[in-house]
Amino acid sequence: MKSMAPATEFALFPTAIGKCGIAWRGDLVIATRLPSTHPAATARFFTRRLNAVEGVPSEAVQRAIIAIAALLEGERADLSFIPCDFESVDPFAAKVYTATRILSPGEASTYGAIAAEIGERNEARKVGQVLGRNPVPIIVPCHRVLGSGGKLTGFSAPGGVKTKLKMLEIEGARIGSGPGLFEDLPFSMKAPP
């Protein structure tokens, strides 16, 4: 008798940027979703794209939810412990996700630097395409990868570049050797430390 694969389940959870979503099979995270305009749209993403049902997170998935929420509150949470299912991605994408996952909160890189890191120096555009299909944003922090010269280029998550900028701001990202994203604002406009 064949054993049945575990069902794909999902849950929505509150964060500083809105209700995010996470989908899992067993203890493996298979997808995350940044907030849509309405939480129902986030839930529909999981039900339609993954045929997932709403479920109660296992302890491992609950730890992932807590860490993601902490990161989005501005804590320097390390998400590298979260087990993700990348079996269905091609080898190039797997290398891109692995190299991107190493980036720490507040650290930024470029598509070209990631391409060079994985030994594919001329494939910056392909790196961008792969990150545009990232199944687990936040866990694979594609928001930390910028265009050449630190340009805030496209971001496929709901909210686009505005969401990417917000996430980098929360993390206190420093781009290049210059000041942080908002350090050049007048003191009265800066958020309190």
Side-chain angles (χ1 to χ4, degrees), residues 153-168:
T153 57
F155 191 55
S156 61
V161 173
K162 184 178 175 183
T163 300
K164 183 174 195 165
L165 184 60
K166 179 66 177 171
M167 293 171 70
L168 290 168

Side-chain angles (χ1 to χ4, degrees), residues 30-141:
I30 61 168
T32 54
R33 186 85 173 152
L34 292 164
S36 296
T37 4
H38 301 288
T42 304
R44 275 194 306 276
F45 170 83
F46 291 119
T47 58
R48 290 181 181 167
R49 289 261 178 99
L50 302 175
N51 200 27
V53 296
E54 198 160 4
V56 176
S58 66
E59 276 187 46
V61 173
Q62 189 59 42
R63 283 192 302 274
I65 289 170
I66 290 167
I68 291 167
L71 180 74
L72 293 173
E73 284 287 338
E75 293 181 29
R76 299 195 66 76
D78 177 10
L79 306 183
S80 64
F81 74 92
I82 300 171
C84 297
D85 181 0
F86 293 124
E87 284 188 26
S88 63
V89 303
D90 65 67
F92 182 87
K95 289 194 291 187
V96 170
Y97 296 149
T98 299
T100 303
R101 200 164 181 191
I102 294 169
L103 298 172
S104 300
E107 180 183 2
S109 188
T110 64
Y111 301 110
I114 297 292
E117 175 76 23
I118 64 171
E120 300 284 348
R121 186 167 303 284
N122 297 320
E123 296 294 347
R125 185 179 304 265
K126 190 173 177 183
V127 167
Q129 291 167 346
V130 165
L131 290 175
R133 296 187 305 269
N134 178 8
V136 286
I138 306 171
I139 298 171
V140 171

